[in-house]
Amino acid sequence: MADKKRVFAVNWAEVESLVTGQHDNPHHILGMHETTDGVYINAYYPSAKSVSAVCKNTGEKYALQSERVSGFFSLKIPDKQSFVYYLEITFQDGSTQTMMDPYAFDPVLDAIDISRFSDGVHYEIYEKLGAHPCMLNGVEGVLFAVWAPHAERVSVVGNFNGWDGRVHVMRRVEYSGLFELFIPGLETGEIYKYEIRSKSGNTFMKPDPYANYTELRPANASRIADLSYDWKDAEYIRNRTLKKGEQPMNIYEVQLGSFKRPKDGREFFTYREMAEELADYVKDMGYTHIELMPVMEYEQDGTLGYQTTSFYAPSSRYGEPADFMYFVDYMHQKGIGVICDWVPSQFPKNESGMAGFDGEALYEPGDPRRSENTRWGTYIFDYGRNEVKNYLIANAIYWLSRYHIDGLRIDSAASMLYLDYGKSYGNWVPNLYGGNENLEAVAFFKELNTIVKERFPNCMMIVEEESGWPMMTDSVEAGGMGFDYQWNMSWMNDLLSYMSLDPLYRKYEHKKLINSMKGAYDEKYILSFSHNEVIGGKGSIVDQMPGGYEEKFANLRLLYGHMMMHPGKKLLFMGQEFAQFKEFDSEGELDWDMLDFDAHTILRDYVKALNHLYQNEPALSAFDNNMDGFEWINDSAANESIISYLRKTDKKEDTLLIVCNFTPVSYSKYKVGVPYAGNYREIFCSDNEAFGGDGSKNISIRTSRRSESDGKKNSITIGLAPLSMSIFKWEKKPAAKAK
């Protein structure tokens, strides 16, 4: 029941505050109030013609009176104690409604919730804030709670109250900046927003920052969501381990809306429809994980999800929250991990979102020199504010917990770490030491990764950071940021720059090919050819290769081959496995019809063979983060643009010898040093006829000879096709038979 008072009388100044939409604690006057000689029942429904209170136990009906202020109904029942009641309302248009009184319920948010949230350590705050179907005092309804410390008044509005902010005014929770209200009888699927009156007197509506579901764009109201789901991936979760560097990890990056589109007139497939087709394809191709470009709700298709508007809601483009749960569940049942891109670096400046949420800067810093990301025209989060930091860390926990995803990839960490990122001189504020490092963002990353590792030790935290900030994947205890993996941007940039050259000039840029090994173990790396490399007018990766049609494909096979052999986990963006000659943009989608052409089908089969080779050969992943797993045979043949190296484990028989020829020159007898005497069988060649080449030059086994080469006592002589990669595996030479 509402607050009980021994003395009570209607305060007409409070009623006036209700009518003008300025009251921030309506429970003080509305609902039932017990006095020394009876009870008062007060209700405010501006469009009501009559209101009655009905005792739930006896059925007795009491008609409330509206005499002084239209819409405000009040009744004193003498010599009566508090009782449970519901309201019967008749509106001016003749319609009627029966409901429990929202102002007859005690507060739900308690002192512990408030204290933990204010301190920034309530990592399950998403269970309290937002809209949550629940039962209070045996009554089903929805509990709404929102953080708006600068607001003068906050109301819940929706179709259920005619979007009238005077009907469901929320209670201000003292000393917290929080507002809450339990509304009985609401069901999942209802749309709602918060109507906020600012200190300046402006009134506006905002979607819920903690909403679990939203309307389909361009509409942007929040929806009450049912997050219940019967998970079937217990075995996968139980067996999920994160042994850094010890297991293959080959990621297929996907933009769900562009992977495939239905031909029945619909705009998108659903999460459930995509799950089955995508899982089958990814499994067959030999990928271990998918990485989804942001699925958190966003309004503008052209942003591809990187300007998130609703961080707690999977995009309604493809279905409801339970549908995305099914998507992840289905992937897990097929043995495929799910990583989601996550964007704690920015949010849109549009008025319908979190910008100026309660009439003032709230999620963003107040100083525009710190709040604005001028490069993208977005706002930066205020990482030094406890409640904002809490919002983001709890959001990471939410996706790992509620949706069972296997990891998060943080987009554009550099924009968070540098106060002057994308800003001109004089338009940024140094830190307290005069530097450009965002110390609050550094502390945020460390806390984020510490909490995630404590709760989800077998989930991955991956970062994209292009500036070279040190120790990103070192533990927090050792002074690092605590990420599990980092995209290797310098490797990607150097290799693409090298491969885009005419082979005639590659010898002059040989360092771009070999320098990656100097820092290959500085961080725990993922080698990525992501969406970043194929959008913004760059075309696809095959478009960036030199030469004619056949040469482009030979170069691309070589590029992918060297990528798969190089230390580091792997990532490839959708469509690049079959060399789609088409720029990817916000309107684009994979052109699966291209697979009617043999070259594209063959390249896809080549990537598939590479992927399975990667999974089956321990040397390609077991020592990814250990210098003992790699050894140069020859990195100095710049004039020939040929490199040779070993991938190893602690078992001699796992050793692989890789030779890459980056020119269109063929060699019939190329001498290569080998680590052990014995036989070397070519197990893979990018120039095989099956892959669109002219055929392997090493059909027979190569037996080593006692002839020094590349600093090794033993060597083999091999054939090298133009623009090709060959992989050899050591076999112990059988002992000679006794005569």
Side-chain angles (χ1 to χ4, degrees):
M1 303 299 291
D3 297 337
K4 296 180 179 179
K5 297 183 180 295
R6 302 307 296 170
V7 177
F8 184 88
V10 173
N11 183 328
W12 293 103
E14 278 195 88
V15 175
E16 180 64 20
S17 183
L18 279 174
V19 172
T20 57
Q22 300 179 67
H23 208 303
D24 67 352
N25 188 14
H27 293 74
H28 185 261
I29 184 171
L30 299 181
M32 179 178 285
H33 300 269
E34 186 173 337
T35 70
T36 55
D37 57 350
V39 295
Y40 273 91
I41 304 176
N42 299 323
Y44 180 56
Y45 290 94
S47 58
K49 183 178 181 180
S50 64
V51 176
S52 295
V54 182
C55 179
K56 189 174 181 181
N57 292 332
T58 66
E60 290 180 88
K61 182 182 292 189
Y62 303 92
L64 279 63
Q65 304 300 314
S66 178
E67 297 176 347
R68 184 166 171 176
V69 175
S70 177
F72 180 77
F73 296 84
S74 180
L75 178 67
K76 179 181 179 181
I77 309 175
D79 303 321
K80 188 79 173 176
Q81 294 182 332
S82 295
F83 58 91
V84 178
Y85 67 98
Y86 58 87
L87 298 176
E88 289 184 352
I89 306 171
T90 300
F91 295 96
Q92 297 291 346
D93 61 4
S95 62
T96 61
Q97 186 176 3
T98 299
M99 67 173 76
M100 297 296 294
D101 189 349
Y103 299 101
F105 295 87
D106 292 328
V108 175
L109 295 176
D110 59 27
I112 295 176
D113 291 323
I114 296 168
S115 176
R116 292 177 64 207
F117 180 59
S118 297
D119 291 341
V121 296
H122 198 322
Y123 302 121
E124 301 82 19
I125 192 61
Y126 54 83
E127 295 179 351
K128 302 293 184 177
L129 301 189
H132 298 281
C134 61
M135 182 177 290
L136 290 184
N137 301 335
V139 178
E140 292 186 349
V142 176
L143 177 65
F144 295 89
V146 66
W147 179 54
H150 304 123
E152 185 175 272
R153 182 263 302 168
V154 182
S155 302
V156 184
V157 293
N159 291 330
F160 49 85
N161 60 18
W163 299 89
D164 189 335
R166 297 171 296 174
V167 177
H168 288 122
V169 180
M170 304 178 79
R171 169 199 281 122
R172 181 188 295 275
V173 182
E174 292 184 348
Y175 312 113
S176 68
L178 298 170
F179 291 80
E180 70 162 19
L181 181 67
F182 177 73
I183 303 180
L186 291 187
E187 298 180 351
T188 57
E190 285 271 12
I191 62 173
Y192 71 97
K193 287 186 178 183
Y194 294 117
E195 184 181 274
I196 299 172
R197 180 184 171 94
S198 69
K199 291 178 180 177
S200 64
N202 293 327
T203 301
F204 49 89
M205 290 190 291
K206 291 279 193 177
D208 188 350
Y210 285 85
N212 301 130
Y213 185 28
T214 70
E215 283 188 294
L216 179 62
R217 54 89 176 98
N220 61 12
S222 305
R223 283 191 183 275
I224 300 167
D226 179 5
L227 296 184
S228 59
Y229 180 80
D230 182 18
W231 289 91
K232 299 178 177 63
D233 64 349
E235 183 177 358
Y236 175 91
I237 297 295
R238 185 167 54 250
N239 295 328
R240 181 173 63 183
T241 58
L242 179 60
K243 299 177 181 177
K244 301 185 190 70
E246 297 179 10
Q247 57 192 10
M249 187 166 73
N250 191 8
I251 305 167
Y252 189 61
E253 187 187 25
V254 179
Q255 206 282 325
L256 284 177
S258 304
F259 177 70
K260 274 194 176 180
R261 292 192 178 178
K263 297 182 179 181
D264 58 5
R266 291 181 297 155
E267 190 173 11
F268 301 111
F269 284 115
T270 67
Y271 289 117
R272 292 175 184 261
E273 290 170 328
M274 284 188 285
E276 300 177 14
E277 188 160 356
L278 184 56
D280 289 343
Y281 180 74
V282 168
K283 191 75 173 178
D284 179 63
M285 285 294 293
Y287 292 100
T288 62
H289 295 73
I290 59 170
E291 180 174 316
L292 303 178
M293 292 168 70
V295 296
M296 298 79 178
E297 191 61 88
Y298 57 102
E299 289 183 1
Q300 299 299 323
D301 290 353
T303 70
L304 299 175
Y306 291 100
Q307 291 190 18
T308 305
T309 53
S310 211
F311 279 77
Y312 284 84
S315 178
S316 57
R317 288 167 175 80
Y318 320 116
E320 300 182 10
D323 297 324
F324 184 59
M325 292 176 182
Y326 175 91
F327 178 94
V328 177
D329 197 10
Y330 190 89
M331 290 291 169
H332 284 174
Q333 292 176 60
K334 294 292 184 178
I336 300 166
V338 179
I339 302 163
C340 287
D341 278 8
W342 185 51
V343 193
S345 56
Q346 60 173 323
F347 61 95
K349 295 171 70 174
N350 53 302
E351 294 181 358
S352 63
M354 291 191 294
F357 181 77
D358 58 2
E360 300 182 27
L362 186 63
Y363 288 92
E364 69 275 22
D367 188 334
R369 294 174 299 171
R370 296 199 62 192
S371 64
E372 295 185 19
N373 185 322
T374 53
R375 180 173 296 184
W376 297 319
T378 54
Y379 275 137
I380 302 164
F381 282 100
D382 187 350
Y383 306 106
R385 187 161 193 167
N386 284 343
E387 296 89 346
V388 176
K389 177 186 64 175
N390 201 153
Y391 175 83
L392 292 170
I393 295 179
N395 187 244
I397 297 296
Y398 169 81
W399 288 99
L400 296 170
S401 174
R402 289 293 180 89
Y403 288 94
H404 290 205
I405 65 171
D406 302 280
L408 293 168
R409 200 274 304 190
I410 283 74
D411 181 70
S412 189
S415 67
M416 302 169 63
L417 291 170
Y418 296 98
L419 295 166
D420 59 347
Y421 184 88
K423 298 179 179 180
S424 58
Y425 179 78
N427 289 318
W428 61 280
V429 182
N431 62 34
L432 73 166
Y433 302 110
N436 67 340
E437 302 88 356
N438 189 334
L439 303 179
E440 294 168 344
V442 172
F444 164 76
F445 277 142
K446 292 185 176 185
E447 182 176 349
L448 167 71
N449 289 323
T450 298
I451 298 304
V452 168
K453 286 295 108 181
E454 286 177 358
R455 298 182 178 218
F456 301 94
N458 295 321
C459 289
M460 292 176 283
M461 295 297 287
I462 303 168
V463 65
E464 177 198 19
E465 204 290 310
E466 67 269 27
S467 76
W469 190 289
M471 301 179 71
M472 294 298 291
T473 59
D474 284 59
S475 69
V476 173
E477 293 78 10
M481 290 290 193
F483 287 100
D484 296 298
Y485 294 104
Q486 178 180 354
W487 279 13
N488 194 333
M489 307 298 284
S490 61
W491 168 87
M492 177 273 299
N493 288 324
D494 281 351
L495 186 57
L496 274 184
S497 174
Y498 177 85
M499 291 298 298
S500 66
L501 293 170
D502 185 305
L504 180 65
Y505 301 106
R506 286 176 177 171
K507 61 184 177 182
Y508 303 114
E509 299 289 345
H510 194 67
K511 286 185 178 180
K512 288 186 176 180
L513 183 61
I514 64 172
N515 275 354
S516 62
M517 286 311 303
K518 293 182 179 179
Y521 303 105
D522 292 346
E523 304 285 359
K524 301 174 183 68
Y525 282 123
I526 293 175
L527 310 181
S528 61
F529 290 125
S530 72
H531 68 278
N532 288 330
E533 285 69 71
V534 300
I535 62 175
K538 300 176 185 176
S540 68
I541 295 176
V542 70
D543 287 320
Q544 300 174 52
M545 298 297 102
Y549 193 81
E550 291 186 1
E551 288 78 13
K552 283 182 179 292
F553 277 85
N555 273 293
L556 192 59
R557 292 194 301 269
L558 177 55
L559 172 69
Y560 289 163
H562 178 52
M563 170 195 186
M564 297 301 284
M565 298 302 107
H566 193 286
K569 307 309 179 186
K570 324 297 178 187
L571 179 145
L572 190 66
F573 179 56
M574 66 179 197
Q576 305 315 302
E577 74 274 22
F578 56 80
Q580 178 169 279
F581 279 111
K582 178 182 179 182
E583 180 185 346
F584 177 83
D585 58 32
S586 62
E587 301 300 323
E589 60 185 271
L590 289 194
D591 187 358
W592 292 97
D593 293 336
M594 294 189 74
L595 296 183
D596 292 338
F597 296 98
D598 287 343
H600 301 285
T601 307
I602 289 170
L603 182 69
R604 183 186 62 181
D605 292 343
Y606 170 74
V607 172
K608 176 180 176 179
L610 261 182
N611 289 348
H612 286 284
L613 177 75
Y614 169 70
Q615 286 203 49
N616 294 332
E617 292 295 335
L620 297 179
S621 58
F623 282 12
D624 256 345
N625 302 314
N626 186 328
M627 292 184 183
D628 294 336
F630 179 92
E631 179 184 341
W632 281 116
I633 295 296
N634 190 334
D635 65 346
S636 60
N639 285 334
E640 295 81 12
S641 298
I642 295 174
I643 57 173
S644 52
Y645 52 91
L646 304 176
R647 292 302 308 274
K648 303 181 291 182
T649 71
D650 53 4
K651 295 179 181 179
K652 188 176 178 181
E653 60 269 24
D654 289 338
T655 303
L656 300 179
L657 167 66
I658 297 100
V659 186
C660 298
N661 177 14
F662 290 91
T663 69
V665 178
S666 179
Y667 297 85
S668 58
K669 293 183 178 180
Y670 187 83
K671 192 175 181 181
V672 183
V674 294
Y676 318 115
N679 293 329
Y680 287 81
R681 181 189 302 274
E682 187 182 68
I683 63 170
F684 194 91
C685 178
S686 67
D687 199 53
N688 277 346
E689 290 181 1
F691 303 143
D694 294 331
S696 170
K697 305 296 188 290
N698 303 287
I699 298 175
S700 61
I701 292 175
R702 297 304 196 242
T703 301
S704 67
R705 295 184 178 182
R706 190 77 172 180
S707 177
E708 187 173 346
S709 181
D710 300 320
K712 303 294 183 183
K713 295 180 180 179
N714 298 286
S715 62
I716 59 175
T717 301
I718 64 173
L720 268 184
L723 299 171
S724 71
M725 176 195 71
S726 293
I727 306 171
F728 298 86
K729 193 166 187 178
W730 175 80
E731 295 177 354
K732 186 176 182 181
K733 188 177 180 180
K737 294 183 180 179
K739 295 182 178 179

